[in-house]
Amino acid sequence: MTVGIDKIAFFAPDTYVDLTDLAQARDVDPNKYLIGIGQSEQTVVPVTQDAVTMAANAASKLLTETDRQALGMVLFGTESGVDHSKSAAVYLRSLLDLPASIRTVELKHACYGATAGLMMAKDYVALHPEKKVLVIGSDIARYGLNTPGEVTQGGGAVAMLVSQNARILALEDDSVVKSEDAMDFWRPLYRKEALVDGHASENIYIDFFTAVFDDYQKLTGRTIEDFDALSFHLPFTKMGLKALRAVLPQTNDLKRHRLLEAFEASRVYNRRVGNLYTGSLYLSLMSLLANGELPAGSRIGLFSYGSGAEGEFFAGQLMPDFDPQALQADFAQFFGQRRRVSVPTYERLFNQSLPDHDVLLDTKADSARFVLRGITHDQRQYQDRTKA
């Protein structure tokens, strides 16, 4: 039995800011953004979208009625939860009309939450092969305007269906985890924007990757030669490149060239979307699958990282039934329909936030199926426009 990712889908709002425009507005050389951090565009999330609506918009693309009836759990990784107590997953269950007889759990560990869900889903399906699990990574990355982290913002959601006989990526059993109490990135309950020690975060990220990759090799006997590609959590794409370069001396020129080619394929979409927090690794995986040239059976190594800090290295094999053309078409449509906004419009949208009282939001500018309509009696009001 091959348990793994059977389906995968992505959603982000259709508004974005061009980082060349932002660089000019901030009186910065555009290459600091385009080359220095490896980003060219950034999703701008309107107030009518949150972690729940983005998750619903992504998940609705992949669930059939058969999938719905086979679901055993919804595991929702996010650090942009909408309630201190109520799980984002139960909101999602309601929006998608999923069966009531399933577990609905929200998972949090910075950007690692979706990977925690994926590992739990794998173990669950191994014990219950007739079941499937919906795993979500949905977040809005916020550091504030005119801050060092401004160009590593973004937002969006990735939804994955985990099942036996997976048609995309069969997850292998061996993985290595590292956990450490670190203050590289955090967001106190009273803050809307994250706090980050940028240099510490980069150093810990690379240290965690080299540590878990080394331990993985000791555990399995595999080396870098056994991988056709390595996919990384990409809060900004230059960070993943730095991590990859840290292990490239372990192999020869030809393998280095192939891994670097695969990495370039894996960051095409992240460069244009920005930071997804929990979904960033899996957007990178989608970019690799759509833009790379990997044959069936290719082994892909995946590095997941969540600040604070948790890191995991695991691997999967590309399945023979996977066809990248549908993935390519979905992203071509997404990028083709996006709307570029000016820097003043981006700043206005960024500064819009839900008040702490009842409000009805204007959703006319939001083209998504699922939207946040406002607040009534301290309860978020969501809408599925197909039922309007």
Side-chain angles (χ1 to χ4, degrees), residues 73-266:
M73 293 194 294
V74 176
L75 299 175
F76 196 127
T78 186
E79 56 184 283
S80 308
V82 300
D83 191 281
H84 289 314
S85 299
K86 189 171 180 179
S87 168
V90 79
Y91 282 112
L92 182 63
R93 190 211 67 77
S94 177
L95 269 178
L96 296 178
D97 291 327
L98 301 179
S101 56
I102 59 175
R103 292 189 181 98
T104 52
V105 181
E106 180 178 324
L107 302 167
K108 182 182 75 176
H109 192 307
C111 302
Y112 175 75
T115 298
L118 183 63
M119 295 297 112
M120 292 177 185
K122 174 181 175 293
D123 291 345
Y124 176 82
V125 173
L127 289 173
H128 305 88
E130 77 284 0
K131 293 292 187 179
K132 301 181 181 183
V133 179
L134 177 62
V135 178
I136 300 291
S138 181
D139 274 298
I140 302 171
R142 290 176 61 93
Y143 297 95
L145 303 176
N146 287 288
T147 65
E150 181 179 25
V151 292
T152 62
Q153 298 180 137
V158 174
M160 296 176 281
L161 191 67
V162 178
S163 72
Q164 67 165 324
N165 302 321
R167 289 172 288 181
I168 298 178
L169 193 72
L171 298 173
E172 297 180 341
D173 289 334
D174 297 313
S175 72
V176 172
V177 178
K178 177 179 172 62
S179 180
E180 181 180 296
D181 187 357
M183 295 303 293
D184 57 331
F185 167 103
W186 68 106
R187 182 166 66 89
L189 294 177
Y190 52 82
R191 288 185 60 95
K192 293 180 179 178
E193 281 78 46
L195 298 169
V196 61
D197 182 335
H199 292 297
S201 187
E202 284 192 48
N203 291 337
I204 294 172
Y205 174 101
I206 295 171
D207 288 346
F208 266 53
F209 169 63
T210 55
V212 294
F213 187 59
D214 184 57
D215 286 349
Y216 176 89
Q217 293 181 84
K218 293 175 182 175
L219 174 69
T220 64
R222 299 190 185 109
T223 70
I224 195 170
E225 300 293 333
D226 294 296
F227 291 93
D228 299 285
L230 297 176
S231 188
F232 295 84
H233 165 57
L234 296 179
F236 58 93
T237 69
K238 191 65 172 289
M239 185 178 276
L241 181 59
K242 289 179 180 180
L244 176 61
R245 286 172 174 168
V247 297
L248 285 181
Q250 298 179 15
T251 188
N252 57 50
D253 287 344
L254 178 59
K255 175 62 78 170
R256 283 196 287 270
H257 175 72
R258 289 176 175 171
L259 290 175
L260 284 167
E261 276 191 334
F263 177 80
E264 289 303 321
S266 77

Side-chain angles (χ1 to χ4, degrees), residues 246-292:
V247 297
L248 285 181
Q250 298 179 15
T251 188
N252 57 50
D253 287 344
L254 178 59
K255 175 62 78 170
R256 283 196 287 270
H257 175 72
R258 289 176 175 171
L259 290 175
L260 284 167
E261 276 191 334
F263 177 80
E264 289 303 321
S266 77
R267 69 167 168 173
V268 171
Y269 297 155
N270 298 70
R271 281 186 64 95
R272 302 188 63 186
V273 172
N275 194 351
L276 301 189
Y277 286 163
T278 51
S280 292
L281 168 60
Y282 301 101
L283 176 59
S284 176
L285 175 63
M286 296 175 82
S287 185
L288 171 65
L289 297 179
N291 299 295

Side-chain angles (χ1 to χ4, degrees), residues 316-330:
Q317 291 194 22
L318 189 61
M319 300 305 292
D321 292 336
F322 172 70
D323 183 356
Q325 292 184 349
L327 205 56
Q328 294 164 355
D330 286 345

